[in-house]
Amino acid sequence: MVVSVGIDLGTTFSAVAYIDPQSKLPKIVPNREGNKITPSVIQFVNGQPIFGAEAESAFNAGEPGCAATFKRGMGKTETYCVIDGKPFTAEELSALLLRHLKEEAEAELGDTIKEAVITVPAYFYSTEREATVRAATAAGIKVKKIIDEPNAAAMAYGLNNWRENANILVYDLGGGTFDVTLTRMGCNGNLSTIATRGDRLLGGRDWDNRIELLLLDKFAEETGADIHSDAATKTMIRGMTEGVKKQLSAMQSANATASIPDFGSATVVITRTEFEESTADLLDRTGALCQAVLTEAGFSARDVTDVLLVGGSTRMPQISQYIFRMFGKKPITHVNPDEAVALGAAIQSTKENESYAALSMQVMNDGKKVTDRSDSGLSLHLSVKPSQKLSSLGLLTLRETTAHAMGIIAVSADTTKYINDIIIPANHPRPVRVAKAFAFYTSANCVDEMEIYVLQGDKENPLDNIIPYKYVASGIRHIKEQKGKTTIKVQYSYDNNGIIHVQARQEDDRIDLPIRKEFVPDDMSKYALPIDPAEFQRLELLNVVMAVDVSGSMSGAPLSDAKAAMCNFIRQMDFSHTQVGVLAVSDSTAIVTKLTDNENACIRAIQSITCGQTGYGNDAHPFAIIKSMLESKEGRLFSIILADGVWSYQDAAVAAAKQCNAAGIETAAIGFGSADEKFLKDISSEDANALLVSQSQLTSAFGTIAQSLGGGTARSGYDNTASDADTWDD
Ligand code: AMP
C-alpha cells in the first residue's frame, strides 16, 4: 500500500518516488509515457490541460496555450500567464501539475496517494514554500513535509554512501535555479545542513539562452538574413537550443539545421569550446556562491569530503571540470541527478523512516553488500564498512537550516533610519523560535494595533531584503492603571518547512493577540528614507508648562472656558512619557502645580485656579519661571501661554520669551478677547505657534497643540527597541 510519496516539483522537470513496499528501497514512479521525469509544462487545448512530452514539444515549438517554468513565479500573487484569456498564477499552474503527477502515480501504483513530501529549492522564501503547500492542497495532496532539494539529494546519496563526519557539498543546477548546500553526515544517521546559498534566477535556461545567441549569430552569418528581428525564426531557433545544449554534453560539437526565410535550409556548427567560453560567467556565478557557503561555514575547499552533483544541468561536462578546478576532486556523478531529489523526498516520506528500519535489518541480514534491487538509477553499493553500525541507516534523520536570516523593520539605535533587525540568522537549524519584547503605549480612545514587517535576508537596508508579509497584532488592551504602557511579546519562528510564523501576546495578562497577515503595501519607500523626527516625538519625553492669564478680564466665562480647554488638553496627553506644570499669571506668577506625570493632579490643579489669584492686572510675565522649571529637563521642552489681553511690560516679556527659546524651550501662545496677534507671535517660538482665536475656539486651539505634541488619536505606538524574551508553545 502506497499512500505517501516524495515529489520533486522542478522548474523544468518533476518526478515522483515512493518506497517500494517489497524491497523497502526508494523508486521512481514512471509516468504514463514510461518516463521517470515529467516536463513541468502544461499546454491548454480547448481549455483542458495536457501534460508530458506532448506539452513539452508544443512549448518548444512555440505553440500557443503553453505554460512552463512557472516555479519561478511561486509565491507571487500576480498572474503568471494568461491562456485563452484566463489568468493563471504560478500556484494554480503548480496545483494542476501536482494533480497530474498524483493521478499518474496513482494509476501506476494502483493506490491512492494521500500525502507527500515535496521538495523546494533551499533558498525558497516563506511565501514560495507556503504557495507550494497551498498548490499541493489544491491538488488533493496533504503535505507531510517540505524539504530542501539539496538535502533530499544528500539523503538519497547518504543512504548508500554513509560516511560519518563527512562534509558533502551539494551542487544543484537545475533548469531554472541554482542551490549550493554544505551538508554534514554526522553520527547515527544524522544529516544536517551547515550552510546554503542559491540564485533563484540561474539555471539551465540561462545556458539555453547563450546557445540561442550563438545560434542566432551563426545563422545570421551563414545566411546573411536579418534573423535577430524575425520573431518566427527566432522562436524556431529557440526551440532547438536545449537539444543542441544536450548534444554538446555528449559531443565536442553539435549541428543545428533550420529553414531560414528567403534562404532555405541552413546548417551551423557550435563547438563545445565556443559554448563553454560563452557561459564561463554563468559558471563563475555558481563558483562565487560555493565560495560564499564555504566562507559562511568557516571551511576551505579542502574540508569538503565530496561534491555531489544534482540537477539536470550538471550533466554539462563544464560543471565537473569546474568542480575539479575548485575543489581538486572529481564530483560524484553516479547519483542520477534527475532522480536523486525525488528519491530523497521518498525516503523522508516514510513515516518516521519505518521502512528504513526494515531496510537496515535487511541489510544486516544480507551481509556487507546490498545490490540495487530497484531500478532507481541509484547504485546501492553500500560503502559502509562492516564495522559500522548499519542500523544507523534506519534512523536516518535530516536537520535542515534556515537559508535566509529573518529580521524585522526596526529603527536604528540613533533613530535616524530604518534597519533590518535580525532576529534569526541564516543557516540556523530549523525549526527555531525567538521571542522579543516591545514596550508599547496605548491610549483609551483609539484601536491599538501593532504592525510588524518581517524580512528575509541579511542586508541592513530593509528594502534590500524580501518582505514576505506585514503582520498586524490587534486587540491590544489599554491598561489604564499602567497609563497605557504595556509589553507586547512577539514570537518569530521558522517551522520545519522553512515557513515563517509570527505570534504576539500582551505580556501583562499573557493573552495571545489575534494576528492577521496582510500583503505588503506597494509603496514601502518610507523605509528607505531618513526617519522623520516627528514620527518619534510621541515616544520622546515631553515637558510642558502651561501659563494661564488670571487677570480681571478673565473673570467668569473666559476663565472657566480656558480651564475646560486646558483640562481637555491634559486628557489628550500620554502621561506615560509626559510631565505637565501649570502657572497662573497676572501681576505676579504662581506655580499652581510643578511638573508632574499625574494626570489627575494636573486636572485638579487647573480646576483650582481662580481669577485674580495673583492680582487683577497684567504686570508680570511667566517666562523666567518657565525657564527655571524646564531648562534642566530631558526631552522636548514646551510652554503654552494663554492670554486674553495685552500685557503691561511687553518688551520684557518678549526678551524673556527669547531667552526661553534660546534654552531650547518651544512656546505656543493662544490669545483671545483683546489679545494682540503681533505680541503672540513675538513670544511664540515660531509664527505658526501663535493662535489668535475666539473664546469658543479655545478647546480646539489647545487640541491643535496637543496633536502637534503627539497627543490625540495618534498616541499609540511602540519604541521598536526589542529585548529578548522567553518563547512560548503554540
Ligand atoms: P532539473 O530542473 O533538475 O530537471 O534540470 C533540468 C535542466 O537540466 C534543463 O535545463 C535541461 O536542459 C538540463 N539538462 C538535462 N539534461 C541535460 C544534458 N544532458 N546536458 C545539459 N543539460 C541538461
Side-chain angles (χ1 to χ4, degrees), residues 8 10-14 37 172-177 203-205 208 242 245-250 310-317 337-338:
D8 170 9
T11 309
T12 43
F13 291 100
S14 297
I37 53 175
D172 180 359
L173 186 63
T177 55
R205 295 234 169 236
D208 294 347
E242 199 184 8
K245 179 182 73 174
K246 287 184 178 171
Q247 270 188 58
L248 287 172
S249 292
V310 185
S313 297
T314 59
R315 289 203 176 88
M316 294 184 290
D338 288 332

Side-chain angles (χ1 to χ4, degrees), residues 24 90 92 125 149 225 239 267 444 478 536 578 648:
K24 308 288 183 204
E92 288 166 334
Y125 292 105
E149 286 161 9
T267 299
H478 177 70
F536 282 89
T578 303
S648 307

Side-chain angles (χ1 to χ4, degrees), residues 416-704:
T416 57
K417 59 178 178 183
Y418 290 102
I419 53 159
N420 172 12
D421 184 9
I422 292 180
I423 308 274
I424 298 169
N427 296 316
H428 187 288
R430 63 176 205 239
V432 50
R433 268 202 302 245
V434 173
K436 295 277 175 189
F438 296 89
F440 193 91
Y441 305 95
T442 62
S443 63
N445 52 359
C446 72
V447 177
D448 284 313
E449 295 190 329
M450 179 169 163
E451 289 181 355
I452 305 153
Y453 284 100
V454 169
L455 307 172
Q456 283 194 277
D458 43 24
K459 305 269 175 16
E460 195 194 354
N461 176 0
L463 303 194
D464 289 342
N465 300 282
I466 292 290
I467 314 176
Y469 288 113
K470 168 185 174 181
Y471 294 87
V472 183
S474 58
I476 300 171
R477 290 167 295 285
H478 177 70
I479 304 175
K480 199 160 183 281
E481 304 73 56
Q482 294 175 197
K483 297 176 187 160
K485 187 168 179 187
T486 185
T487 302
I488 307 295
K489 271 192 186 176
V490 182
Q491 180 163 273
Y492 307 85
S493 53
Y494 269 118
D495 68 13
N496 245 328
N497 296 332
I499 292 173
I500 290 177
H501 301 273
V502 172
Q503 293 163 278
R505 87 171 16 166
Q506 190 159 3
E507 192 47 19
D508 301 283
D509 44 16
R510 292 181 164 241
I511 295 178
D512 285 358
L513 297 169
I515 285 233
R516 59 176 194 274
K517 232 164 38 171
E518 292 182 355
F519 289 115
V520 178
D522 287 340
D523 186 9
M524 291 287 286
S525 54
K526 109 173 207 198
Y527 294 102
L529 300 172
I531 292 179
D532 176 1
E535 282 240 349
F536 282 89
Q537 74 188 22
R538 66 178 177 215
L539 303 176
E540 194 183 32
L541 285 174
L542 176 64
N543 303 280
V544 183
V545 174
M546 293 199 279
V548 56
D549 187 339
V550 292
S551 63
S553 57
M554 290 288 285
S555 170
L559 186 59
S560 57
D561 285 358
K563 283 161 59 172
M566 287 163 75
C567 288
N568 206 44
F569 171 88
I570 295 295
R571 285 191 200 96
Q572 289 183 63
M573 299 313 292
D574 180 349
F575 275 82
S576 63
H577 60 283
T578 303
Q579 298 204 85
V580 179
V582 182
L583 305 180
V585 56
S586 50
D587 285 332
S588 63
T589 304
I591 297 176
V592 183
T593 176
K594 290 193 285 199
L595 284 169
T596 173
D597 61 3
N598 185 328
E599 184 175 337
N600 290 333
C602 267
I603 301 245
R604 280 197 303 273
I606 291 166
Q607 283 165 344
S608 74
I609 294 171
T610 55
C611 181
Q613 77 178 79
T614 51
Y616 290 90
N618 282 109
D619 289 355
H621 69 74
F623 292 109
I625 294 180
I626 289 173
K627 185 162 174 278
S628 68
M629 287 170 80
L630 288 178
E631 66 185 346
S632 61
K633 296 288 171 191
E634 269 180 35
R636 192 171 179 188
L637 312 177
F638 206 91
S639 71
I640 306 170
I641 314 297
L642 176 64
D644 77 328
V646 182
W647 292 357
S648 307
Y649 301 101
Q650 291 199 7
D651 289 349
V654 171
K658 291 208 183 321
Q659 281 182 21
C660 276
N661 204 1
I665 301 167
E666 299 165 80
T667 300
I670 301 172
F672 70 108
S674 57
D676 163 21
E677 189 172 9
K678 180 172 180 311
F679 175 66
L680 295 176
K681 282 186 177 164
D682 285 347
I683 59 172
S684 297
S685 49
E686 55 183 289
D687 284 358
N689 283 357
L691 306 173
L692 184 62
V693 296
S694 66
Q695 192 177 315
S696 64
Q697 292 171 323
L698 284 175
T699 300
S700 79
F702 270 100
T704 305

